[in-house]
Amino acid sequence: MRALLGLVATAISAEPPRGLAEMLAETSPENLARVAQLNQVHTMIAPVLKAHPEAAGALPRDLLIFFETMHRANNARLASGIAQLTEIGLALREIEVPAVVLKGGADMLDALHEDQSIRFVGDLDILVPISRALEVERCLYDIGATAPFERLGTKPELNWRGRRIPEHHLPKLTRSDWHFPVELHTRTGPGLTDRMLAAESVISRRVPARVPGLSYPNWEDRACHLVVHAGRHSGQVSLRAWVDWVAMRKHCALSEVRSRLEAHDLHEAYAEFEHLADFLENALVISNNSSEKYSFVSSALKVLCAESKPRYFDLLRQVFRRARMLAESKDYRRYVARNVLDRRWWARVWSSHIGSRWRSH
């Protein structure tokens, strides 16, 4: 969607593309709001419209109110996230465990963008040594956190959801007054993510945060994690990831990041991020359909406008994973059999594994 790209590029370059107001006037308001949410950039639109009244004038008032509400609410939400991280950090400091806040949580502790309220965060991922993961989990239980699902089995120690090999994070933890679910990670991610960003190495390179008891990865690890993680859940990269890359590449040693990504056959992903960052930083070319340098953008637009495919893909992926778990684990089969007629259990399944992905996170 060219209009959405125009708004986002204006937020980055502060100079709107030619004809932005006309692009917005020709765009379906419902579609603009939906695709902005799907790509997790709905929180960065309001400042652009405020700074450029001619663009705002092309949109209906209720859409302007929607974007302003999203920006304001996200600002308040991030403030509550800092309070939540502070409480968690103080608890973890008492047990002297190295705790590294990843991804969006790291951006809370060490601002990626000048206006932090444009960055939407879905949950808090905290990496801890696998040998101390259960101790950390108990520590968070002690301050009121709860897990929506019971742990399955007893062997090995981290066997939950009936899996014989620990997944890269424990079950998410919530508390009624927390805005963000918490996932305790024992690895930075599955497969390639783990190989590129080994937990021990990321922990050893961590940067202490101003919040006591917590730290975050260095810029190079954050940049590599951004690229390797993008598109993992739905198979498509969100526009927010590209916006983050524009800022991220200014902070990190880009040559080191490139070498690390290319060493794991991610040269094409790196090139795509670089191309889109160049594009977003040069908003004027959005209105130039003949620009050969940015001819690849037409395919990027198709990705951004694929409004439903990522959600169906993700739902099928979840169904496949649960079917495999049923086949592999006797503990999991018993667990499902005990709860299959419980409506409250199905509500938790929807909230934790389906609904949260079906909506834009």
Side-chain angles (χ1 to χ4, degrees), residues 85-86 88-90 93 209-214:
L85 283 170
T86 300
I88 292 171
L90 290 172
R93 185 175 64 171
R210 281 180 281 185
V211 172
L214 297 178

Side-chain angles (χ1 to χ4, degrees), residues 209-260:
R210 281 180 281 185
V211 172
L214 297 178
S215 58
Y216 49 84
N218 66 23
W219 282 114
E220 289 69 37
D221 285 343
R222 287 164 72 177
C224 288
H225 203 173
L226 173 61
V227 175
V228 74
H229 185 267
R232 192 181 70 81
H233 289 300
S234 65
Q236 295 184 354
V237 179
S238 75
L239 181 53
R240 194 218 71 219
W242 285 321
V243 171
D244 287 349
W245 180 257
V246 171
M248 190 76 73
R249 68 179 187 166
K250 297 175 182 177
H251 290 287
C252 66
L254 202 55
S255 58
E256 176 187 333
V257 172
R258 178 176 181 174
S259 296
R260 289 170 63 179

Side-chain angles (χ1 to χ4, degrees), residues 2-315:
R2 195 170 293 274
L4 180 60
L5 279 173
L7 288 169
V8 172
T10 303
I12 292 171
S13 67
E15 186 175 7
R18 293 185 298 272
L20 177 60
E22 289 76 9
M23 294 181 208
L24 293 172
E26 295 171 358
T27 298
S28 160
E30 295 81 4
N31 199 42
L32 180 60
R34 182 167 56 251
V35 179
Q37 282 188 289
L38 179 61
N39 282 275
Q40 302 177 7
V41 294
H42 54 296
T43 53
M44 67 185 302
I45 303 302
V48 174
L49 297 174
K50 184 176 181 180
H52 299 280
E54 70 285 357
L59 296 174
R61 178 168 174 74
D62 57 347
L63 187 57
L64 300 179
I65 293 173
F66 167 77
F67 284 130
E68 176 58 33
T69 301
M70 292 297 99
H71 181 261
R72 186 169 57 249
N74 197 50
N75 192 38
R77 191 166 175 267
L78 293 179
S80 72
I82 292 294
Q84 181 178 336
L85 283 170
T86 300
E87 181 181 9
I88 292 171
L90 290 172
L92 297 185
R93 185 175 64 171
E94 292 298 313
I95 61 174
E96 298 181 341
V97 61
V100 184
V101 183
L102 306 173
K103 298 182 288 186
D107 297 341
M108 287 188 193
L109 297 175
D110 184 40
L112 176 60
H113 301 283
E114 185 175 344
D115 177 5
Q116 281 188 279
S117 57
I118 71 171
R119 171 63 159 93
F120 183 78
V121 178
D123 57 12
L124 299 176
D125 302 297
I126 303 177
L127 176 68
V128 298
I130 190 170
S131 61
R132 302 192 64 184
L134 294 181
E135 179 187 0
V136 172
E137 185 182 53
R138 287 191 295 270
C139 179
L140 296 189
Y141 283 153
D142 288 342
I143 62 172
T146 60
F149 296 96
E150 63 187 271
R151 189 181 300 282
L152 303 179
T154 57
K155 295 181 180 181
E157 192 176 25
L158 290 180
N159 180 17
W160 68 285
R161 291 183 178 169
R163 301 307 297 271
R164 292 299 170 193
I165 300 175
E167 297 192 16
H168 62 281
H169 63 77
L170 275 65
K172 69 173 61 176
L173 300 174
T174 60
R175 203 175 76 181
S176 59
D177 61 332
W178 283 355
H179 282 82
F180 300 89
V182 175
E183 288 185 348
L184 294 176
H185 282 241
T186 58
R187 293 181 288 156
T188 55
L192 178 59
T193 307
D194 181 42
R195 293 194 296 274
M196 172 179 283
L197 295 160
E200 298 82 359
S201 299
V202 173
I203 291 173
S204 70
R205 294 189 290 260
R206 69 189 185 277
V207 179
R210 281 180 281 185
V211 172
L214 297 178
S215 58
Y216 49 84
N218 66 23
W219 282 114
E220 289 69 37
D221 285 343
R222 287 164 72 177
C224 288
H225 203 173
L226 173 61
V227 175
V228 74
H229 185 267
R232 192 181 70 81
H233 289 300
S234 65
Q236 295 184 354
V237 179
S238 75
L239 181 53
R240 194 218 71 219
W242 285 321
V243 171
D244 287 349
W245 180 257
V246 171
M248 190 76 73
R249 68 179 187 166
K250 297 175 182 177
H251 290 287
C252 66
L254 202 55
S255 58
E256 176 187 333
V257 172
R258 178 176 181 174
S259 296
R260 289 170 63 179
L261 292 170
E262 290 180 346
H264 289 83
D265 296 323
L266 289 172
H267 49 281
E268 290 185 2
Y270 172 82
E272 181 183 67
F273 269 76
E274 280 290 272
H275 285 320
L276 265 295
D278 288 342
F279 176 75
L280 292 174
E281 286 190 311
N282 292 274
L284 292 178
V285 304
I286 292 176
S287 55
N288 184 1
N289 294 326
S290 63
S291 174
E292 292 183 5
K293 184 177 181 181
Y294 299 105
S295 59
F296 68 92
V297 170
S298 60
S299 60
L301 285 168
K302 293 177 183 177
V303 170
L304 293 176
C305 295
E307 299 160 27
S308 59
K309 289 182 181 178
R311 301 304 173 201
Y312 288 113
F313 175 90
D314 223 20
L315 179 58

